[in-house]
């Protein structure tokens, strides 16, 4: 059987980055910059007031005090957004708002708290100094300065900075476009009454959300019966053969039974570019990878087992890190920690086992959570980590240090 490490490398090599794309800020947020961002303008663009108050000449109010206020006429109001900025004459004050352009002739702002707030005549109760409460043009960013760098994730503040600089788009590493296909004639959509022998579909919902959480775009999540024509029809409907999808993730149809639709479509011998392998792990032994679609479309396919825990653990081990690497996102791997086992565990020889666990970060201890069988989705839904048990380990006594994958970050 193939080792986990070998299959991880194979999946990583399979899922390739898309060419950089220039996207609107709303679409670029959360992605990685593929080009530096150089400021086309300065910030602030112009000198402006840092306070609501009055633009004045500092010398005119040098002797102001609460018991000896200076009174000045207020010939003009300068709200934010005013474009015809009147020059201040000595011996006067212009009422000015935060962010409003600072007038020529003035050299300071008196906060409204140091005045009586007069609209036509203002009484000023405190002195000031030249330059006080003025935001100078270029004080934040000078035009021509590199403000965001290649490889940086576009956060909300980064998008805000780009917008403040007048940029509506950024060049980024685009999201991987993922099509999720759940296979099985027994599957029905939640909300539909169950007939005998039917179960509600869960893998498509789970894997789609996992792909989105990893940073990918989910083109669609589709459920198909064990019917090769229906499966091929889905591939055609979503343009897999025409390059509209970067990655197809399937669940089910890859075991050794008679009705294995994924194997039936792509050839059980790997003759159509999809190779089915066994990986020395539990859960998640049956796996498949390959390229599908027209030549040059470069669409990858990763086929996962059908049992829910097997499918999700396989996604965590193989697909999530490969997707994030293809999008150049930071921290492709889940954080690994060493925790102390609070109970005895046994593990099958020759298979690397991933057990659901509850990690207590305060005590540094971990507890196995639920049985190892791959249909126990309940325990995976509440687990906060995976215990990673090496293939050569068959027994772990209480107190054994064990590596865990933190699923919370």
């Amino acid at each position: 059987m193939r080792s986990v490490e070998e299959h991880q490398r194979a999946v990583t090599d399979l899922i390739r980055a898309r060419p950089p794309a220039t996207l609107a800020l709303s679409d670029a947020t959360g992605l990685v910059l593929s080009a530096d961002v150089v400021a086309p303008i300065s910030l602030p663009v112009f000198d402006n007031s840092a306070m609501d108050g009055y633009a004045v000449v500092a010398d005119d109010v040098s002797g102001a005090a609460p018991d000896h206020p200076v009174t000045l006429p207020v010939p003009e109001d300068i709200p934010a957004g005013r474009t015809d900025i009147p020059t201040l004459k000595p011996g006067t004050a212009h009422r000015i708002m935060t962010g409003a352009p600072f007038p020529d002739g003035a050299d300071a702002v008196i906060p409204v708290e140091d005045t009586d707030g007069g609209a036509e005549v203002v009484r000023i109760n405190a002195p000031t100094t030249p330059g006080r409460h003025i935001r100078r043009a270029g004080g934040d960013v000078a035009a021509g300065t590199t403000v965001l760098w290649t490889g940086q994730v576009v956060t909300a503040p980064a998008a805000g900075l780009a917008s403040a600089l007048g940029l509506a788009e950024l060049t980024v590493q685009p999201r991987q476009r993922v099509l999720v296909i759940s296979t099985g004639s027994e599957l029905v959509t939640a909300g539909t009454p169950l007939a005998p022998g039917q179960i509600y579909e869960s893998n498509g919902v789970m894997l789609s959300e996992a792909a989105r959480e990893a940073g990918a775009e989910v083109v669609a999540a589709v459920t198909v019966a064990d019917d090769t024509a229906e499966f091929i029809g889905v591939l055609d409907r979503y343009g897999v053969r025409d390059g509209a999808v970067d990655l197809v993730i399937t669940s089910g149809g890859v075991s050794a039974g008679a009705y294995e639709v994924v194997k039936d479509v792509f050839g059980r011998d790997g003759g159509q570019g999809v190779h089915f392998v066994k990986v020395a792990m539990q859960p998640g032994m049956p796996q498949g990878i390959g390229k599908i679609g027209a030549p040059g479309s470069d669409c990858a396919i990763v086929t996962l087992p059908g049992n829910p825990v097997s499918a999700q653990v396989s996604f965590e081990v193989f697909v999530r890190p490969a997707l994030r690497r293809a999008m150049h996102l930071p921290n492709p791997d889940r954080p690994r920690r060493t925790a102390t086992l609070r109970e005895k565990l046994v593990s099958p020889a020759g298979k690397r086992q991933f057990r659901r666990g509850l990690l207590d970060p305060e005590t540094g201890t971990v507890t196995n959570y639920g049985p190892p069988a791959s249909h126990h989705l309940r325990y995976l839904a509440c687990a906060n980590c995976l215990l990673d048990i090496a293939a050569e380990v068959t027994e772990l006594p209480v107190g054994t240090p064990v590596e865990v994958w933190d699923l919370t970050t």
Side-chain angles (χ1 to χ4, degrees), residues 17 161 235 325:
L161 174 59
L235 299 180
R325 285 188 172 90

Side-chain angles (χ1 to χ4, degrees), residues 338-409:
T338 299
T340 302
L341 193 60
R342 296 183 62 180
E343 61 183 323
K344 176 183 176 180
L345 279 182
V346 295
S347 184
K351 289 186 179 181
R352 186 169 165 184
Q353 191 172 56
F354 294 91
R355 296 285 291 266
R356 289 136 280 181
L358 294 176
L359 173 67
D360 184 341
E362 292 188 2
T363 63
T365 59
V366 66
T367 305
N368 175 68
Y369 190 54
S374 57
H375 65 285
H376 291 290
L377 182 58
R378 162 194 169 184
Y379 298 98
L380 181 61
C382 297
N384 64 2
C385 70
L386 293 176
L387 286 72
D388 185 355
I389 304 172
E392 65 273 13
V393 174
T394 57
E395 184 174 317
L396 295 91
V398 175
T400 301
V402 60
E403 184 175 83
V404 299
W405 297 20
D406 189 342
L407 300 179
T408 64
T409 56

Side-chain angles (χ1 to χ4, degrees), residues 109-128:
V109 173
I110 293 288
V112 68
E113 293 84 357
D114 291 334
T115 74
D116 67 351
E120 296 181 359
V121 175
V122 62
R123 187 172 62 195
I124 297 171
N125 303 315
T128 189

Side-chain angles (χ1 to χ4, degrees), residues 229-260:
E230 183 179 348
F231 188 99
I232 293 169
V234 168
L235 299 180
D236 292 339
R237 186 189 322 157
Y238 290 99
V240 170
R241 304 180 192 280
D242 301 320
V245 173
D246 303 304
L247 172 65
V248 176
I249 302 174
T250 68
S251 63
V254 294
S255 294
Y259 299 97
E260 306 293 346

